[in-house]
Amino acid sequence: MTRSTRTREREQENHTERENTRECPECGSDHLVKSTDRGELVCDDCGLVVEEEKIDPGPEWRAFNHQERQQKSRVGAPTTQTMHDKGLTTTIDWKDKDAYGRSISSKKRSQMHRLRKWQERIRTKDAGERNLQFALSEIDRMASALGVPRSVREVASVIYRRALKEDLIRGRSIEGVATSALYAACRKEGIPRSLEEISEVSRVERKEIGRTYRYISQELSLEMEPVDPKKYVPRFCSELGLSEEVQSKANEIITTTAEEGLLSGKSPTGYAAAAIYAASLLCNEKKTQREVADVAQVTEVTIRNRYQEQIEAMGIHS
């Protein structure tokens, strides 16, 4: 049995090696590509079909839109870090219908209700899993409120799991560490969200979020680059209803003044807000300091101070 298995593996390896070393009989190119949808071996340079009727590892059905793909697919959702069990447990549908879409009897409905209830109870075996479930649901809730993509939720869940494994949760609130993990994930993925915006959707104060974030980023050795103020410009300009010209001018102001070292030690949101305010004046699309400050969630004093520094560095006299 072992010998036959080894023989099959050796034959498969030899077949793969032959495929990798084959050349196109038409142009002599060795760039041969497997077409998974048609089961063919095709030359990437001249397009000649070198071999037909290869084994197709894909599904036997075809779908032309997302709805058809969902209906015909017979596999479950992929594993995810955003669920405490990584999405591997059974989920009982809330719809009281059978496999053919027909309504079930009242006796079956009550039975399904009991099954759902016990399913929820046995999904978490101890307090640790219940806390992890709560933390990941908090991350999902805050991420939805902030409108960040799915990748940020996955990264935040991984950071929280690492913090839990390193026992960094002890002595700190679950919400505080979850919020800090989400803020760290936003910075990792290059999604500009300030501490003020994060604290608005969280149940934790801004000071605690910042303190916990600094602690877990240091303990987990998260390499965070400084936030680029230019990442805030498109969103702020969109909320203010400003044109592409203002956006381009604001980016130019940030680039020029940052090269002179004015950005060091400054808040990126305040710096971006001041550049947008200056650009709106230069492009005759004036916005008041109060309007810009409300969108950027900074004070008018911050905008005035950064604005004065920027126009002096640009050599512009107000």
Side-chain angles (χ1 to χ4, degrees):
M1 180 70 71
T2 307
R3 187 177 300 170
S4 62
T5 304
R6 288 178 179 173
T7 305
R8 283 198 302 270
E9 289 178 353
R10 196 176 295 113
E11 288 177 355
Q12 189 175 359
E13 288 176 1
N14 292 336
H15 179 69
T16 306
E17 287 178 4
R18 283 197 304 272
E19 277 192 352
N20 292 337
T21 55
R22 286 180 64 176
E23 293 182 352
C24 174
E26 185 72 24
C27 64
S29 172
D30 58 351
H31 296 142
L32 303 181
V33 181
K34 291 180 182 178
S35 175
T36 55
D37 58 339
R38 297 180 63 86
E40 298 172 342
L41 191 66
V42 183
C43 176
D44 196 32
D45 291 339
C46 67
L48 179 73
V49 178
V50 180
E51 188 175 325
E52 292 183 288
E53 297 180 357
K54 291 178 66 65
I55 296 174
D56 183 9
E60 82 285 359
W61 46 264
R62 292 193 303 170
F64 299 99
N65 54 45
H66 179 71
Q67 187 177 359
E68 280 189 25
R69 195 174 294 110
Q70 290 291 100
Q71 289 174 348
K72 294 182 178 181
S73 178
R74 297 187 295 274
V75 297
T79 57
T80 173
Q81 297 288 339
T82 59
M83 299 175 70
H84 76 283
D85 51 15
K86 298 184 180 179
L88 294 174
T89 55
T90 304
T91 303
I92 300 176
D93 197 0
W94 60 270
K95 297 176 183 176
D96 293 322
K97 295 182 182 296
D98 61 10
Y100 298 100
R102 296 176 301 204
S103 297
I104 58 178
S105 63
S106 59
K107 184 178 178 181
K108 285 286 184 182
R109 276 202 297 271
S110 61
Q111 184 182 359
M112 294 304 296
H113 177 71
R114 286 197 302 274
L115 283 173
R116 284 192 207 98
K117 184 166 63 177
W118 279 105
Q119 171 68 14
E120 282 300 314
R121 287 176 179 174
I122 65 174
R123 281 185 70 184
T124 52
K125 62 182 180 182
D126 53 24
E129 282 199 359
R130 281 196 297 274
N131 290 341
L132 178 60
Q133 185 182 30
F134 171 69
L136 296 179
S137 65
E138 276 293 288
I139 289 174
D140 197 55
R141 179 188 66 80
M142 292 184 290
S144 297
L146 288 169
V148 295
R150 186 78 187 174
S151 60
V152 175
R153 306 180 193 195
E154 293 281 348
V155 173
S157 302
V158 171
I159 292 173
Y160 185 86
R161 287 174 185 271
R162 285 185 59 194
L164 186 64
K165 187 179 179 182
E166 297 291 330
D167 200 23
L168 304 181
I169 316 292
R170 192 182 300 275
R172 291 171 178 81
S173 68
I174 294 173
E175 294 100 326
V177 179
T179 309
S180 303
L182 180 60
Y183 178 62
C186 287
R187 292 193 60 172
K188 272 278 187 187
E189 293 295 293
I191 306 296
R193 293 294 184 272
S194 63
L195 268 176
E196 288 78 10
E197 291 175 292
I198 297 284
S199 62
E200 275 191 357
V201 299
S202 174
R203 298 188 179 100
V204 186
E205 292 182 358
R206 180 185 181 280
K207 189 180 290 185
E208 185 183 343
I209 298 170
R211 185 167 58 241
T212 310
Y213 162 72
R214 286 190 294 272
Y215 174 72
I216 64 171
S217 62
Q218 182 179 355
E219 292 295 321
L220 297 178
S221 302
L222 302 175
E223 297 179 0
M224 296 293 182
E225 296 181 357
V227 180
D228 187 358
K230 287 191 283 189
K231 290 185 177 179
Y232 290 101
V233 171
R235 185 157 58 92
F236 290 171
C237 285
S238 176
E239 291 182 25
L240 288 165
L242 295 170
S243 64
E244 288 284 336
E245 184 186 359
V246 175
Q247 185 175 322
S248 177
K249 191 66 178 176
N251 286 329
E252 182 188 335
I253 292 171
I254 292 171
T255 303
T256 306
T257 54
E259 288 174 356
E260 298 188 14
L262 292 183
L263 182 55
S264 179
K266 305 294 193 307
S267 165
T269 50
Y271 205 85
I276 291 170
Y277 175 67
S280 68
L281 294 179
L282 292 171
C283 298
N284 294 321
E285 295 183 33
K286 185 177 180 181
K287 295 289 180 181
T288 63
Q289 291 179 1
R290 169 47 54 193
E291 289 175 314
V292 180
D294 287 341
V295 168
Q297 294 184 330
V298 296
T299 62
E300 294 177 58
V301 177
T302 301
I303 291 181
R304 279 196 292 272
N305 292 339
R306 299 293 88 79
Y307 167 71
Q308 289 296 333
E309 294 169 358
Q310 288 172 356
I311 61 171
E312 287 175 11
M314 293 281 291
I316 302 171
H317 300 285
S318 57

